Amino acid sequence: MSENPSAQHRTVNAHGAVDLSALAGSSGQQPASSSSPGGGQDSWTAAVAPQQLQQIVQLSAQVPALVLIHGQDAVSQQFLSSLQHAVDAQRGRIVLATIDAAASPELAQQAGKLPVVTAFLSGQPIAEFDSTAPADQLPQVVTQILQLATQNGITGTVKPLSRTAGEDDDAETEPELPPLHQKAHRALEEGDYDAALTAFEQAVKENPGDAEAKLGIAQVQLMKRTQGADLAAVRQRAAENPEDVRAQTDVADVDVLGGHVEDAFNRLIRYIQTHFGDDRETARKHLVELFSIVGDTDPRVAAARKKLASALF
């Protein structure tokens, strides 16, 4: 993975991420359930042993996988609980594996400060964050990781890993994804972009204020535009046709999908600076759509918005 769009966010730092996969064994066991199977709610969080990590890392080819190393102290337990709620709210689009530091001193020593989380995509560690991320910001951090996964074509869902304890049934739980959102995600898992787009569009038709569905539309449209794209041919066409707005937006699309977010933004801003009329407006609208896909909380979006304002005025 060439770039992490959350790397500059203060709660997510990809530099120096602990590569837990190096210590993962090849046990054939399933991830251990963190609770009794006798009741409770579906959960995409599971307590695992170090030898089960390889399975979690492999799972990150389908969905982002978070590995949390924690202690038994109050800070660790609160962090675990808040992160589990944020993960379970996504209903299988991301998973969380938890490791008790007391049972895994080697991992705990490597991790250093506890609690600490390493995020994996496609088998590679791509980000790390810890309890300096306030509990109320953990859903936002999870969203950022999901946005990164979408940019890299990882849009699957997986079955629950465990059940929460039965006594928690009466506690406040995160709502399930709306039916149309679930339909869209199932379609994405099957590679049916048209069906996913139709489901998200219907969701917006029924609820014009559905921001998640609008983001889903933009993300699916990006994947449709870049499906089967020949990167070398796209770049060559843009180089040979610098005045062609479609050629420039095509390169911006593949750059965002490949993680080269700043390159994509700067390309379109330069085009907007030097062109006028309909082509300029086309480039502007396309850039704003890419902003929404990357996410307004990404610092590169804020910086690019300032550059865009200067280019326009």
Side-chain angles (χ1 to χ4, degrees):
M1 189 165 301
S2 52
E3 187 173 351
N4 176 3
S6 300
Q8 299 177 45
H9 190 280
R10 70 182 184 87
T11 60
V12 180
N13 177 15
H15 299 294
V18 180
D19 186 358
L20 300 177
S21 61
L23 294 175
S26 56
S27 167
Q29 299 172 300
Q30 294 298 315
S33 170
S34 58
S35 61
S36 167
Q41 302 292 320
D42 286 340
S43 177
W44 285 263
T45 298
V48 302
Q51 63 267 28
Q52 296 170 302
L53 277 175
Q54 187 62 45
Q55 297 173 61
I56 299 299
V57 173
Q58 291 172 349
L59 194 60
S60 70
Q62 302 175 51
V63 297
L66 307 181
V67 176
L68 166 65
I69 303 176
H70 65 87
Q72 292 299 321
D73 57 287
V75 172
S76 281
Q77 292 303 303
Q78 178 59 48
F79 188 81
L80 188 160
S81 177
S82 298
L83 187 58
Q84 177 174 356
H85 281 303
V87 166
D88 286 349
Q90 297 299 327
R91 311 302 295 175
R93 297 173 62 203
I94 185 170
V95 297
L96 170 64
T98 67
I99 298 177
D100 187 343
S104 308
E106 183 179 359
L107 281 180
Q109 183 177 6
Q110 183 186 12
K113 181 180 179 181
L114 300 179
V116 64
V117 179
T118 301
F120 290 85
L121 278 182
S122 299
Q124 299 297 319
I126 51 90
E128 181 179 287
F129 58 97
D130 56 30
S131 58
T132 58
D136 61 358
Q137 287 189 14
L138 289 178
Q140 177 181 325
V141 174
V142 167
T143 296
Q144 290 176 344
I145 293 171
L146 284 167
Q147 288 173 339
L148 178 61
T150 298
Q151 292 166 22
N152 285 271
I154 297 177
T155 58
T157 57
V158 295
K159 294 180 180 179
L161 302 183
S162 65
R163 301 278 288 178
T164 57
E167 57 267 23
D168 291 339
D169 283 356
D170 295 330
E172 182 178 350
T173 59
E174 298 286 348
E176 286 191 5
L177 286 175
L180 285 169
H181 288 234
Q182 294 182 32
K183 183 177 181 180
H185 290 302
R186 284 195 299 270
L188 284 173
E189 187 176 2
E190 296 167 359
D192 190 343
Y193 294 156
D194 289 333
L197 188 59
T198 298
F200 279 133
E201 288 174 341
Q202 182 63 31
V204 172
K205 183 177 180 181
E206 294 180 7
N207 177 15
D210 190 338
E212 287 295 323
K214 291 177 180 178
L215 174 59
I217 290 172
Q219 292 173 334
V220 175
Q221 287 175 335
L222 174 63
M223 288 186 282
K224 278 175 62 68
R225 291 195 301 265
T226 55
Q227 188 176 24
D230 183 327
L231 181 57
V234 169
R235 292 194 180 284
Q236 182 176 353
R237 186 166 60 252
E240 293 175 350
N241 300 278
E243 306 301 316
D244 186 338
V245 65
R246 174 63 182 274
Q248 304 309 313
T249 57
D250 283 350
V251 175
D253 281 345
V254 297
D255 275 348
V256 167
L257 197 65
H260 301 287
V261 174
E262 290 176 322
D263 290 344
F265 290 171
N266 290 334
R267 174 182 292 274
L268 293 185
I269 289 170
R270 285 195 300 268
Y271 187 91
I272 290 166
Q273 286 174 328
T274 56
H275 293 77
F276 300 91
D278 292 343
D279 285 349
R280 183 190 217 199
E281 180 61 10
T282 297
R284 186 197 68 80
K285 288 181 177 179
H286 200 93
L287 179 58
V288 170
E289 181 179 322
L290 294 181
F291 287 164
S292 71
I293 292 172
V294 175
D296 286 335
T297 59
D298 191 294
R300 292 167 301 179
V301 171
R305 285 191 185 279
K306 292 180 181 178
K307 293 179 182 178
L308 175 60
S310 297
L312 291 172
F313 306 108

